Amino acid sequence: MKYVCDRNPGVKLETILVEFPCYHSEIIEKTQAVLEKYNQPTSNVRGGSEPPVAVGVNANERVRMVVIDSIASAPGVVYPWEQVTHLCHKYGALSLVDAAHSIGQHHVDVKKADPDFFISNCHKWLMT
C-alpha cells in the first residue's frame, strides 16, 4: 500500500493503530472516526438501484478503500471485518479484506458480509 502512495502523489495512506488487547468495538469506533473525518454517509447503501458513491467532507479528500485483516497474524486475533465492511458501505468506501489466515481457522460468510474484495490463499490451511 505504501508503494501505491509513493508512486501516486495524490493518494494518501492513513493507518489506524490498535493496541492489543482491545475490544472489537474499539476497532470499529476508530475506523468510523477515520471514515467520518473524510466521508459523508451515503444516502444509498447497498441494495438500491444506484451504487453508493463516496462524498468527501472536503472537496479534495475522501476515503476510497479500507483494507482490513480478517485475522491479525502476529497476535492471532480475529478482527471485526464484517462490521468494518458494513461501515464501508455506509460511507461509500470500498472494502478489501485480507483473509490470508481465515479459511480453515473460523467460519467465514463472505456473502453475508458482502466486501468488495476478499483475498485469501487456501494453501495455508486446506493443505494441512
Side-chain angles (χ1 to χ4, degrees):
M1 289 183 285
K2 184 161 177 357
Y3 173 79
V4 172
C5 295
D6 290 344
R7 300 282 298 177
N8 300 281
V11 177
K12 197 166 85 170
L13 177 67
E14 181 144 351
T15 304
I16 299 170
L17 299 176
V18 178
E19 279 191 38
F20 294 108
C22 70
Y23 293 102
H24 281 184
S25 59
E26 183 180 338
I27 296 169
I28 294 165
E29 288 168 9
K30 287 184 174 190
T31 304
Q32 184 164 1
V34 170
L35 286 166
E36 286 177 345
K37 179 178 172 184
Y38 295 103
N39 292 21
Q40 296 175 5
T42 61
S43 58
N44 181 19
V45 181
R46 295 211 183 195
S49 59
E50 296 293 322
V53 177
V55 177
V57 173
N58 299 318
N60 298 325
E61 292 183 319
R62 67 182 170 98
V63 174
R64 295 174 189 256
M65 180 180 287
V66 174
V67 179
I68 185 165
D69 290 331
S70 60
I71 296 178
S73 58
V77 174
V78 177
Y79 271 76
W81 63 272
E82 297 97 338
Q83 292 91 338
V84 172
T85 298
H86 292 290
L87 279 176
C88 292
H89 295 169
K90 179 179 177 181
Y91 288 93
L94 296 172
S95 57
L96 186 151
V97 179
D98 177 355
H101 300 283
S102 285
I103 305 297
Q105 290 286 78
H106 64 98
H107 178 73
V108 175
D109 190 345
V110 177
K111 190 172 185 176
K112 181 180 175 187
D114 195 24
D116 294 291
F117 305 96
F118 185 86
I119 301 168
S120 188
N121 48 1
C122 294
H123 77 277
K124 287 188 176 185
W125 300 106
L126 296 182
M127 302 301 282
T128 58

